[in-house]
């Protein structure tokens, strides 16, 4: 392989640990399995047949350089007595410190991620097209990541710029005298090919090497990426099957003599518990993990030794047998830098492969555990400086007050299908499009994935408790989608409601947030489309009429059939209005003041039967 910038940086970082390696050699030799004699590694020192490689991983960072607000910035921890505790977590300064502390005493350490490092980012990163986050990832020592669906939010050209560097084509350079250098780490796009060339958009795989140890990394995003991003972002690209792609490149690596392979997959699952330290091997009914990653893991070739996953923003350390029946670790570290996973890969120098056995703790690929990025530890000084530098540039836009709230309004962190913040956003969108010249909307629908945070009552800066700044509103609605109002018949609208829980969304339902006056019952005791109770759907108290035409507002992403809602593509007579972010901030300003702050809605528009 050619000596890339990330390779040179990695060599420098690992060379600095040579003294630690020398000191650890005696310990390694002393802990050799019976019958294993020493051999000589490329470093020229006596080394054991096996060596433990520390794999640190995380996923779905989404540009959260500062600690996420509200429940978006917490993790749930099971205590020894079975009770659960909420722990504040996340923030780049704490994540960097956690990773650097974890690496101490580990001369063989590699840091990887499973996509969505950027995109849907808070204003501190999003305002600058996520350059601050790429800079932060360089500093904290990220070695490799797969691409995620959100890396395509601004299109292929922008993803390529984030990798290779250069100032933004429209907004230019953000800091005087500085040109954006791009990522020191490779973005892997094994299953994303250019329609014209048939070749992967960026690098499909990379090989990490140190003192004779070689581990290959293959990176893929979910095949369904085109269904959950704007069409312009993936124009001219094809997204291939995850399993077929991983198996293809695992064979390529094997032919190159690379026997140890880790797959970085931006697709995930749903564990039975929301606690980060839940025992995935618990034998209780309904325990374990479900979702797309389970089938992927069962089919990925045994040549792959571990799967680092993401996308669902869940935390888990699970074992799923590979096609040969051998146990294999599958991990995910929640989102927003709140956790990181530490996996120990035992590398056999004689075979060049990872030792996987049925008795290895917590899974076949190695010992794996999720760690909390706690905010009680010191902050990494260089990351604190980076955040302060970019905050200074963002302040004139970010600090402007746009509203007031009386308490936390849960959005991203809400576990129920309907969230209070979802109600606020939907109401804001309907109000912005209700006037005849704005679209004439009778109701509004909002996709839950477009709500990226909570609104927290506690001040994030100097604005004071209860004050909502533009930066905080941007964090909730970072995509700046234009609003579109369309004609839908009652029958089409009902079909769209069914698509929340069927088709592409059956395994992982996407419950739309609804504006005031639109109500229905969701029966989770049933399956598929039957979960929508037909006679329950009403608008302003009147039953939905299949033959009547309604004016429905939604963002342009949903209107294009995004998130698995093809019914919306049949909408007629579209009217395009302002952005969803403008609608949100205008609503907050119009409906709140310091004397009369906005109170959290009851979130009682969707009745859920369990």
């Amino acid at each position: 392989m050619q000596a890339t910038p990330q390779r040179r940086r990695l060599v420098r970082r690992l060379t600095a640990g040579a003294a630690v390696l020398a000191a650890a050699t005696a310990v390694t030799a002393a802990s050799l399995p019976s019958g294993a004699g020493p051999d000589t590694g490329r470093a020229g020192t006596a080394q054991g047949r096996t060596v433990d490689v520390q794999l640190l991983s995380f996923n779905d960072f989404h540009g959260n350089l500062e600690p996420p607000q509200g429940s978006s910035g917490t993790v749930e921890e099971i205590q020894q007595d079975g009770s659960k505790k909420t722990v504040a977590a996340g923030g780049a300064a704490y994540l960097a410190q956690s990773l650097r502390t974890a690496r101490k005493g580990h001369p063989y350490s590699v840091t990887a991620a499973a996509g969505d490092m950027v995109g849907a980012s808070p204003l501190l990163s999003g305002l600058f097209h996520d350059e601050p986050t790429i800079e932060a990832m360089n500093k904290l020592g990220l070695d490799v990541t797969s691409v995620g669906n959100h890396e395509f939010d601004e299109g292929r050209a922008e993803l390529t710029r984030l990798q290779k560097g250069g100032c933004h084509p429209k907004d230019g350079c953000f800091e005087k005298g500085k040109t954006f250098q791009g990522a020191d780490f490779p973005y892997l796009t094994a299953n994303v090919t250019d329609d014209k060339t048939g070749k992967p958009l960026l690098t499909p795989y990379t090989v990490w090497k140190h003192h004779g140890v070689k581990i290959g990394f293959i990176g893929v995003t979910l095949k369904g990426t085109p269904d959950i991003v704007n069409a312009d972002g993936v124009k001219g690209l094809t997204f291939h099957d995850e399993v077929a792609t991983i198996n293809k490149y695992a064979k390529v690596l094997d032919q190159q003599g690379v026997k140890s392979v880790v797959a970085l997959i931006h697709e995930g699952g749903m564990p039975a518990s929301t606690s980060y330290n839940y025992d995935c091997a618990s034998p209780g009914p309904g325990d374990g993990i479900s979702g797309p990653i389970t089938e992927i893991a069962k089919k990925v070739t045994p040549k792959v030794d571990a799967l680092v996953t993401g996308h669902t923003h869940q935390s888990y350390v699970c074992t799923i047998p590979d096609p040969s029946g051998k146990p294999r670790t599958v991990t995910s570290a929640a989102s927003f830098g709140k956790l990181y996973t530490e996996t120990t890969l035992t590398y056999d120098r004689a075979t060049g492969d990872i030792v996987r056995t049925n008795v290895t703790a917590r899974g076949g690929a190695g010992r794996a555990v999720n760690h909390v990025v706690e905010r009680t530890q010191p902050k990494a000084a260089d990351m604190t400086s980076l955040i302060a530098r970019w905050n200074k540039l963002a302040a004139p836009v970010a600090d402007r007050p746009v509203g007031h709230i009386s308490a936390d309004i849960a959005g991203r962190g809400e576990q129920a299908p309907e969230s209070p913040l979802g109600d606020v956003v939907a109401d804001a969108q309907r109000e912005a499009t209700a006037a005849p010249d704005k679209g004439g909307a009778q109701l509004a629908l909002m996709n839950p994935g477009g709500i990226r945070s909570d609104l927290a009552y506690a001040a994030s800066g100097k604005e004071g408790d209860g004050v909502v700044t533009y930066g905080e509103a941007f964090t909730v609605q970072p995509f700046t989608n234009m609003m579109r109002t369309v004609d839908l018949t009652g029958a089409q609208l009902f079909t769209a409601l069914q698509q929340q829980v069927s088709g592409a969304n059956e395994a992982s339902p996407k419950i739309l947030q609804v504006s005031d006056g639109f109500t229905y019952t969701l029966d989770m005791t049933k399956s598929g489309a039957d979960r929508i109770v037909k006679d329950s759907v009403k608008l302003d108290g009147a039953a939905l009429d299949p033959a009547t035409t309604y004016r429905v507002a939604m963002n342009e992403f949903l209107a294009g059939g995004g998130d698995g809602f093809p019914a919306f593509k049949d909408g007629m007579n579209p009217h395009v209005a302002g952005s969803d972010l403008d609608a949100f901030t205008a609503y907050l300003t119009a409906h709140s003041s310091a004397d009369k702050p906005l109170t959290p809605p009851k979130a009682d528009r969707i009745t859920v039967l369990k």
Side-chain angles (χ1 to χ4, degrees), residues 312-480:
T312 58
H313 290 206
Q314 302 298 308
S315 55
Y316 47 83
V317 173
C318 299
T319 297
I320 300 176
D322 68 20
S324 71
K326 213 171 182 181
R328 182 165 56 192
T329 299
V330 180
T331 67
S332 176
S335 62
F336 302 166
K338 294 180 291 188
L339 300 175
Y340 71 91
T341 308
E342 182 178 22
T343 303
T344 302
L345 302 173
T346 300
Y347 184 91
D348 188 327
R349 292 181 180 278
T351 65
D353 206 351
I354 300 300
V355 178
R356 287 201 283 144
T357 69
N358 289 318
V359 296
T360 306
R362 280 196 175 271
R367 302 172 296 282
V369 62
N370 276 330
H371 298 285
V372 180
V373 177
E374 296 195 22
R375 300 181 196 167
T376 54
Q377 64 184 312
K379 295 181 181 181
D382 59 341
M383 209 63 67
T384 300
S385 177
L386 179 151
I387 291 169
R389 195 179 89 244
W390 286 102
N391 259 328
K392 185 176 180 180
L393 291 174
V397 176
D399 294 346
R400 176 169 60 88
V402 296
H404 299 77
I405 57 176
S406 64
D408 288 357
I409 304 182
R412 188 72 179 186
E414 178 62 48
Q415 297 299 317
E418 179 186 358
S419 71
L421 190 52
D423 287 357
V424 173
V425 170
D427 288 349
Q429 294 183 355
R430 186 189 65 170
E431 184 168 296
T433 55
D437 63 334
K438 299 294 185 183
Q442 296 169 271
L443 69 145
L445 302 172
M446 175 63 194
N447 56 309
I451 300 172
R452 306 303 300 184
S453 181
D454 300 343
L455 277 183
Y457 177 79
S460 59
K462 299 178 181 179
E463 74 276 10
D465 292 346
V467 177
V468 180
T469 65
Y470 182 83
E472 291 167 340
F474 183 99
T475 298
V476 173
Q477 294 259 264
F479 297 108
T480 318

Side-chain angles (χ1 to χ4, degrees), residues 79-161:
Q79 306 299 293
Q80 288 187 348
D81 62 1
S83 63
K84 295 179 180 179
K85 176 184 177 182
T86 298
V87 182
Y94 297 114
L95 177 61
Q97 187 68 24
S98 293
L99 294 175
R100 289 164 184 169
T101 300
R103 292 179 189 127
K104 292 179 179 178
H106 294 276
Y108 293 84
S109 182
V110 58
T111 302
D116 277 5
M117 296 298 96
V118 301
S121 304
L123 186 134
L124 176 59
S125 186
L127 184 63
F128 306 106
H129 300 282
D130 282 311
E131 290 181 19
T133 293
I134 297 299
E135 182 183 350
M137 293 297 109
N138 289 343
K139 285 182 178 294
L140 62 73
L142 181 60
D143 294 312
V144 59
T145 183
S146 67
V147 72
N149 56 286
H150 280 285
E151 264 84 16
F152 293 93
D153 283 348
E154 294 191 47
R156 59 188 292 177
E158 178 62 6
L159 171 58
T160 302
R161 186 183 75 89

Side-chain angles (χ1 to χ4, degrees), residues 66-78:
E66 296 180 300
Q69 285 197 303
S71 58
S72 297
T74 64
V75 294
E76 184 180 84
E77 182 179 77
I78 301 175

